[in-house]
Amino acid sequence: MKNFIYNIGYFLKETKTILQLNAVSNIFSLLSTGLIFFILAMVISGWWVSSQIVEAIEEEAEISVYYEESMDNYEVTQLMERLRIVKGVVEVRLVEEGEAYKRMEDILGKDAGVLTYLEDNPFNSFIEVKINMEEMNFVLGKIRLVTGVDYIRDNQEVLKRIENISQILKLLGTLIITAVGISTLVIIGHIIRLGIYNNREQINTLRLLGAHELFIAFPFLLVGMILTLGGGVLASALAAAAIKYIYAQMAGPLPFIPLPPQETLVSGIVIIVIFLSAVLGIVGSVFGLSSAKK
Amino acid sequence: MIEAKGVCLQYPDGTMALKNIDLQIVPGDMLYITGPSGSGKTSLLKLLMGMEYPTEGTLRVLGQPIAKGQDKGIRHLRMAMGPVFQEFRLIKGRTALENVMLGMRFLNTTHGHLKEAAIHTLARVGLEHKAFSLVENLSWGECQRVAIARAVVRKPAIIVADEPTGNLDKHNALNILALLSSFRDKSTAVIITTHATHLIEGEEDVKHIRMDNGNIHWERPRMT
């Protein structure tokens, strides 16, 4: 260990020399790792944004709770309180008969005239309950048991479909991130392996002089770390610029899409990419070194 | 120091490089191994360096058995040896001084004196003035001296030089042999391979084996 500490200056100088001696190859390696990490950053951003959208949709899942007609205002208020405390319920709101009629007019649009043939307002007031979709079945079961609830219109089929879409998106995101992560690892490992191959004579000489593997490998590990971290920084800069551009394009024409705040997304992506580049740099270097030893 | 009993080396392609070698080298010995190309000189050095393992017989160098599964011990053994390779194996892009210092960096030596010792050794091989030159800017003979400096700066128990006189004229070859033998002392043995037998004819107090088709013949001292 003492020997290792004494040699830190040597390791840094050696790393600089290895980088300089294969400057062109190292620049291309840095650019290619940067582009790989940029692709990874964009995949993660897409996954993040789509998760946010799905989450927003999930949070806005609504069901209509109808109560017994005999209930007076006080009892309805009491019922709303009972619904509010059910786990998984996000918001509870009373929709009066007039509002229910208005909503139907909006839904029917130009055909709303048919409603004028009705003498009285046929719609009953009901309680609109926003629920957490992930707990949908549990919430529905609980609400059915609440005293005063007559029946529930839950649009379960629509909600189920949204839930399926959200699960597919999550699975796809995980698969793509895993695939890109593994490709990154293999490519970085290969780049480092090539670097070791280019310096195989030096490595063999050191082995014949009796140097231990860590002494030989450490400068190459540092080179791998620098290349991948450099690639990570490059990818972060590219990703930040790309996200800024995409947000500028989407903000005007698609204002209803609930995007996460730009600053949160950019800082999150930068942290993830830098962290991943450091980890993949170390793992890739070790992978490259061990495969080069065989 | 070195003890070989009935050592054979057969390469995977079936070539029998060494046949039934018996050898004993003690501290302070100066051993010349001569013989034509392909006679087994380099194979014997490879065995001594732990780059190959005997396929038959036993070989111990500085007490370390040379055999499969002895990687750690062989690495430690290499730290106690000073090899001068035929093609020098200097690290390009580094200066002569850096190459010499590299031979000591992973040894348990005092790092404060590393540079001092390297410059001193370069002075001993007559290259103090080239200490800060990149090795690719040195001549063939200068590179050879840097390689010798890298080997001896470690104060090894065994100095091993593979064909150090290879491309040299008689005058320079004798100088190199004299330089290498100057590092021989009561605790350091020097082993040199060369195909130029005439260069060592006048030398006294040396051991000499001649190799021929994987067999060794003792020239000095004569074995009865």
Side-chain angles (χ1 to χ4, degrees):
Chain A
M1 191 63 201
K2 199 175 156 191
N3 206 308
F4 190 85
I5 293 165
Y6 272 126
N7 279 317
I8 281 179
Y10 159 77
F11 291 136
L12 294 175
K13 202 173 170 192
E14 196 62 10
T15 304
K16 192 181 150 203
T17 310
I18 294 169
L19 285 169
Q20 279 174 343
L21 283 178
N22 304 304
V24 177
S25 156
N26 286 323
I27 287 168
F28 281 119
S29 298
L30 192 138
L31 288 176
S32 49
T33 46
L35 289 174
I36 296 163
F37 280 125
F38 173 65
I39 295 168
L40 187 63
M42 294 322 289
V43 170
I44 294 173
S45 304
W47 183 72
W48 188 332
V49 169
S50 60
S51 300
Q52 177 96 2
I53 293 169
V54 168
E55 213 170 279
I57 293 168
E58 279 180 356
E59 276 173 10
E60 283 176 19
E62 285 172 358
I63 57 167
S64 305
V65 175
Y66 289 85
Y67 49 87
E68 289 154 12
E69 279 182 47
S70 58
M71 285 169 74
D72 59 24
N73 284 350
Y74 175 74
E75 285 170 328
V76 172
T77 311
Q78 290 290 306
L79 172 62
M80 285 170 71
E81 284 309 313
R82 287 198 291 277
L83 289 173
R84 222 168 248 133
I85 57 169
V86 172
K87 192 172 171 278
V89 167
V90 179
E91 200 182 315
V92 175
R93 189 175 154 269
L94 181 67
V95 176
E96 304 269 9
E97 291 160 348
E99 191 183 342
Y101 186 89
K102 181 80 177 56
R103 281 187 183 184
M104 186 50 75
E105 272 186 332
D106 291 342
I107 292 167
L108 293 173
K110 62 179 181 183
D111 300 321
V114 292
L115 293 174
T116 57
Y117 296 110
L118 305 168
E119 281 181 11
D120 297 318
N121 180 356
F123 301 106
N124 290 331
S125 53
F126 62 93
I127 299 166
E128 193 176 73
V129 180
K130 285 186 182 174
I131 60 166
N132 186 342
M133 213 174 74
E134 279 181 359
E135 295 174 277
M136 185 174 70
N137 288 332
F138 171 80
V139 178
L140 288 175
K142 285 281 174 193
I143 288 175
R144 276 195 190 97
L145 298 175
V146 173
T147 319
V149 171
D150 192 9
Y151 70 96
I152 299 168
R153 211 181 68 209
D154 55 16
N155 297 325
Q156 210 163 352
E157 224 171 87
V158 178
L159 296 178
K160 200 84 197 155
R161 205 164 286 176
I162 291 172
E163 198 185 5
N164 287 343
I165 291 169
S166 102
Q167 276 170 354
I168 289 168
L169 274 175
K170 275 181 190 167
L171 183 71
L172 268 179
T174 312
L175 282 176
I176 292 172
I177 288 170
T178 310
V180 177
I182 292 170
S183 324
T184 312
L185 194 67
V186 171
I187 290 167
I188 289 167
H190 187 65
I191 287 169
I192 285 154
R193 200 166 177 265
L194 277 180
I196 291 165
Y197 185 77
N198 288 337
N199 293 282
R200 63 194 180 283
E201 214 177 297
Q202 176 183 343
I203 291 170
N204 284 335
T205 304
L206 285 167
R207 281 186 182 140
L208 289 174
L209 290 171
H212 45 85
E213 291 299 319
L214 186 61
F215 180 89
I216 298 169
F218 198 67
F220 292 99
L221 284 177
L222 284 180
V223 169
M225 281 281 292
I226 288 170
L227 288 180
T228 47
L229 266 177
V233 171
L234 178 69
S236 299
L238 286 173
I243 290 168
K244 197 178 168 190
Y245 176 77
I246 293 167
Y247 264 64
Q249 296 298 308
M250 286 179 80
L254 302 165
F256 50 87
I257 294 181
L259 295 171
Q262 189 181 322
E263 294 73 26
T264 314
L265 182 63
V266 169
S267 56
I269 287 296
V270 168
I271 292 168
I272 290 171
V273 169
I274 298 288
F275 173 75
L276 275 180
S277 63
V279 172
L280 290 177
I282 295 169
V283 178
S285 302
V286 172
F287 171 64
L289 279 169
S290 57
S291 64
K293 251 175 93 174
K294 286 167 190 165
Chain B
M1 189 170 247
I2 297 175
E3 198 174 8
K5 279 182 190 163
V7 167
C8 296
L9 174 64
Q10 186 173 24
Y11 287 115
D13 66 355
T15 309
M16 201 69 177
L18 297 172
K19 296 167 189 165
N20 202 27
I21 303 285
D22 289 328
L23 193 64
Q24 192 161 18
I25 304 294
V26 295
D29 270 353
M30 175 88 186
L31 174 71
Y32 284 107
I33 306 171
T34 61
S37 296
S39 58
K41 303 188 297 290
T42 303
S43 294
L44 181 57
L45 287 196
K46 280 184 175 177
L47 276 183
L48 298 181
M49 292 285 298
M51 293 159 75
E52 299 285 350
Y53 308 120
T55 42
E56 269 179 59
T58 57
L59 173 63
R60 295 179 90 89
V61 180
L62 298 173
Q64 169 63 44
I66 306 294
K68 275 184 186 170
Q70 295 284 334
D71 294 359
K72 199 177 172 190
I74 289 173
R75 186 174 71 71
H76 280 108
L77 167 69
R78 287 175 179 168
M79 287 163 78
M81 295 180 89
V84 182
F85 302 103
Q86 200 168 352
E87 301 298 331
F88 313 142
R89 288 178 171 265
L90 297 177
I91 314 293
K92 286 176 189 162
R94 281 74 166 176
T95 63
L97 181 65
E98 284 168 339
N99 268 278
V100 176
M101 284 167 72
L102 188 60
M104 289 190 289
R105 286 202 175 275
F106 41 86
L107 305 179
N108 294 321
T109 49
T110 315
H111 283 254
H113 300 125
L114 217 127
K115 196 171 178 180
E116 218 170 89
I119 287 179
H120 174 76
T121 313
L122 277 171
R124 211 171 150 193
V125 298
L127 277 181
E128 195 181 11
H129 62 294
K130 296 278 183 164
F132 297 99
S133 300
L134 291 174
V135 289
E136 44 268 53
N137 296 334
L138 300 180
S139 69
W140 197 88
E142 286 169 336
C143 282
Q144 189 174 38
R145 285 170 184 272
V146 175
I148 292 172
R150 184 180 65 186
V152 300
V153 75
R154 297 143 62 93
K155 300 202 186 311
I158 305 169
I159 296 169
V160 181
D162 191 10
E163 292 283 5
T165 59
N167 294 329
L168 299 176
D169 57 44
K170 189 176 178 185
H171 174 72
N172 282 315
L174 285 171
N175 281 343
I176 284 295
L177 291 183
L179 178 65
L180 282 166
S181 66
S182 73
F183 294 106
R184 168 197 188 185
D185 61 32
K186 60 177 187 267
S187 60
T188 307
V190 179
I191 301 172
I192 298 171
T193 68
T194 178
H195 60 269
T197 317
H198 63 281
L199 293 173
I200 58 169
E201 274 166 3
E203 289 226 36
E204 289 178 7
D205 190 25
V206 296
K207 287 182 176 176
H208 174 199
I209 54 174
R210 182 172 52 81
M211 297 206 68
D212 178 28
N213 199 26
N215 297 298
I216 65 168
H217 308 281
W218 282 93
E219 296 289 331
R220 276 189 276 170
R222 289 273 181 200
M223 293 289 176
T224 51

